Amino acid sequence: MEPRVATAPCPTKVGDVASNVEDFTLSLDEILAAVDKIEKQVNEIEHFYQSTSNIQTSSNSKGCSKDKGREKQFISAERQQQNALRREAAAAKRMQELMRMFSTIFRQITQHKWAWPFLEPVDVKGLELLDYYEVIEKPMDFGTIKSKMEAKDGTGYKNVREIYADVRLVFKNAMKYNDEKNQYHVMAKSLLEKFEEKWLLLLPKVAEEEKRLQEEEAEANSDMQRAREATYANMARELSSELLEVDKDLKNLKEMVIQKCRKLTSEEKRILGTALAKLSPENISRALQIVAENNPNFQATAREVDLDIDAQSDYTLWRLKVFVKDALEVNEKTTADTAFNNNDITEDKKNGSKRKRDSCDAQAKTNTKRTKKVSIL
């Protein structure tokens, strides 16, 4: 694209300037707004894929195998939600069964003849245990555990390990506060041993359920990731189409602006022809491509090309004019920089001259191969 073309509308009638400029500005504002929107979406997509790449790299560095689920089709958001609800319901049912099994253990422990000191909260005030809360950070008792196990308002235990931890805490608190020879310490230690023995019988089922939950969570996360990837892939495809539309709009806008411009004079055409002859082989090829874009019959890649300036459309001539101007400006800057650098060379002139001759000879050979014969008519 040569955006500078679109910055110099030149209507032939002064009275049309305001209308033309207003139309041009509105069109340009719409394109810029679309480009800004596309840029934000592109940044979002890039950020997503960059984050995904970092996660995958981290997983691979830890020796994790690649996600086989990527071979599956992604699951829609609605389907994911349905699956999640089913998994949660099934997991809750299995956990309730584990809790039921644990309640049997709990009942056996609480019915033991030595369980009576632990059935209710410690009467700190009545027993005048002034330092109890300094020693015990979290008091616990069987009565509190039972109430939480039976809670229906959402404040109850969520899994069996939470109950297990609180039961152990009852005994650990008693052993921590009381000396080893104290009866409460002895009773707590004995009950803890019995409780651990019974817990070990249930533990394999608890571990199996925890492993299953981890696998289901990993699968759910994988489904969610695939769904997000599909969403961003669709977004990328849509952006590709939008970019094509923006490119088309820009081309139409440039054409509209150039059509509003005056025709080049004979003198300007002559100057343009002279300037074309000064272009490098690469820029000559690009200039010929500009001509070919609006003239399908023009053979831009032929070894010998006849370019009739007068036969070109105003649109093509204005594009050539802007392109040639920019190309020559770049060439002049490059030449000036090269001359400046050459003036700084003060040592090894002989070798420098030889390298320069070799470079020139090589460049001449290259130009001989690349240069095509172009006749400006």
Side-chain angles (χ1 to χ4, degrees):
M1 297 181 182
E2 292 79 36
R4 295 177 60 178
V5 174
T7 62
C10 38
T12 55
K13 295 182 180 179
V14 177
D16 294 336
V17 170
S19 176
N20 289 333
V21 170
E22 183 178 358
D23 291 343
F24 172 76
T25 302
L26 288 175
S27 298
L28 187 58
D29 287 344
E30 291 176 358
I31 293 175
L32 291 176
V35 170
D36 184 59
K37 178 183 176 183
I38 291 173
E39 183 179 8
K40 291 179 180 179
Q41 290 176 320
V42 168
N43 290 336
E44 180 182 350
I45 293 173
E46 287 181 346
H47 177 72
F48 168 75
Y49 281 109
Q50 181 65 38
S51 300
T52 301
S53 176
N54 291 339
I55 292 174
Q56 291 175 350
T57 301
S58 177
S59 298
N60 292 337
S61 65
K62 295 178 181 179
C64 297
S65 60
K66 292 184 178 179
D67 184 8
K68 295 181 180 179
R70 293 188 181 281
E71 298 176 0
K72 303 177 183 177
Q73 291 184 342
F74 77 93
I75 303 176
S76 66
E78 183 178 358
R79 179 78 177 278
Q80 284 185 58
Q81 187 176 11
Q82 293 174 353
N83 291 345
L85 292 174
R86 281 197 293 268
R87 280 195 298 267
E88 290 175 2
K93 187 176 181 180
R94 295 193 304 270
M95 186 55 67
Q96 286 298 322
E97 177 61 18
L98 287 175
M99 289 184 173
R100 185 192 67 78
M101 297 172 69
F102 186 89
S103 65
T104 301
I105 298 174
F106 182 74
R107 184 171 59 254
Q108 292 172 350
I109 294 298
T110 56
Q111 290 177 353
H112 193 277
K113 63 180 181 179
W114 286 354
W116 63 268
F118 314 111
L119 296 177
E120 300 293 337
V122 175
D123 185 5
V124 177
K125 185 176 181 180
L127 297 174
E128 297 183 351
L129 305 176
L130 302 180
D131 63 342
Y132 187 80
Y133 294 118
E134 295 177 5
V135 178
I136 303 302
E137 296 179 1
K138 182 182 178 183
M140 186 55 61
D141 64 277
F142 292 153
T144 299
I145 294 174
K146 184 179 180 182
S147 298
K148 195 171 180 180
M149 287 175 66
E150 297 173 350
K152 305 295 183 181
D153 58 355
T155 60
Y157 293 107
K158 299 298 187 294
N159 61 71
V160 72
R161 278 196 183 272
E162 293 180 351
I163 317 175
Y164 164 74
D166 277 354
V167 172
R168 291 188 80 252
L169 184 61
V170 173
F171 301 131
K172 289 293 184 179
N173 284 347
M175 294 167 64
K176 181 178 182 180
Y177 188 78
N178 299 284
D179 294 335
E180 292 184 3
K181 294 182 180 181
N182 184 285
Q183 62 172 337
Y184 298 118
H185 184 107
V186 174
M187 294 164 72
K189 184 176 181 180
S190 177
L191 288 177
L192 178 59
E193 290 174 355
K194 293 180 181 298
F195 171 68
E196 294 287 9
E197 289 176 2
K198 297 179 181 296
W199 168 255
L200 287 175
L201 298 177
L202 181 61
L203 185 57
K205 293 184 178 180
V206 175
E208 180 182 356
E209 174 60 20
E210 290 173 340
K211 181 180 179 181
R212 183 172 179 177
L213 288 176
Q214 290 177 352
E215 291 174 349
E216 289 180 352
E217 182 179 0
E219 183 179 357
N221 290 336
S222 180
D223 289 343
M224 184 180 299
Q225 179 67 15
R226 286 195 295 273
R228 293 185 66 197
E229 288 178 359
T231 299
Y232 280 103
N234 289 334
M235 186 187 297
R237 284 192 290 269
E238 291 174 359
L239 285 180
S240 179
S241 299
E242 291 180 22
L243 283 171
L244 291 175
E245 287 297 320
V246 168
D247 190 57
K248 181 179 178 181
D249 291 341
L250 280 173
K251 185 175 181 180
N252 291 338
L253 186 60
K254 288 197 301 181
E255 187 170 357
M256 177 192 77
V257 171
I258 290 177
Q259 287 175 352
K260 296 290 184 179
C261 289
R262 60 174 175 77
K263 296 180 178 295
L264 265 64
T265 64
S266 299
E267 178 62 17
E268 287 175 321
K269 291 180 181 179
R270 185 191 66 77
I271 294 173
L272 176 59
T274 302
L276 281 168
K278 298 178 181 179
L279 294 178
S280 65
E282 290 79 10
N283 285 331
I284 278 288
S285 296
R286 177 65 187 119
L288 296 178
Q289 289 174 8
I290 292 175
V291 175
E293 286 176 9
N294 293 279
N295 187 355
N297 296 325
F298 184 76
Q299 300 296 322
T301 58
R303 183 66 178 175
E304 296 185 4
V305 179
D306 292 332
L307 177 57
D308 188 351
I309 294 292
D310 291 328
Q312 307 308 314
S313 66
D314 293 332
Y315 176 69
T316 299
L317 291 175
W318 275 102
R319 288 190 65 192
L320 284 174
K321 181 180 175 67
V322 174
F323 172 74
V324 170
K325 181 177 181 295
D326 290 343
L328 291 179
E329 286 179 355
V330 171
N331 184 60
E332 288 176 2
K333 185 178 184 303
T334 302
T335 302
D337 290 343
T338 301
F340 178 79
N341 292 333
N342 287 340
N343 289 334
D344 291 339
I345 300 176
T346 58
E347 297 181 359
D348 202 4
K349 292 184 178 181
K350 184 176 180 180
N351 292 336
S353 298
K354 184 178 183 301
R355 285 196 298 271
K356 184 176 180 180
R357 286 196 301 273
D358 292 343
S359 176
C360 291
D361 292 343
Q363 184 66 38
K365 292 179 181 179
T366 302
N367 288 341
T368 301
K369 294 179 180 178
R370 294 183 179 179
T371 301
K372 63 172 63 188
K373 185 177 179 181
V374 179
S375 300
I376 309 298
L377 305 179

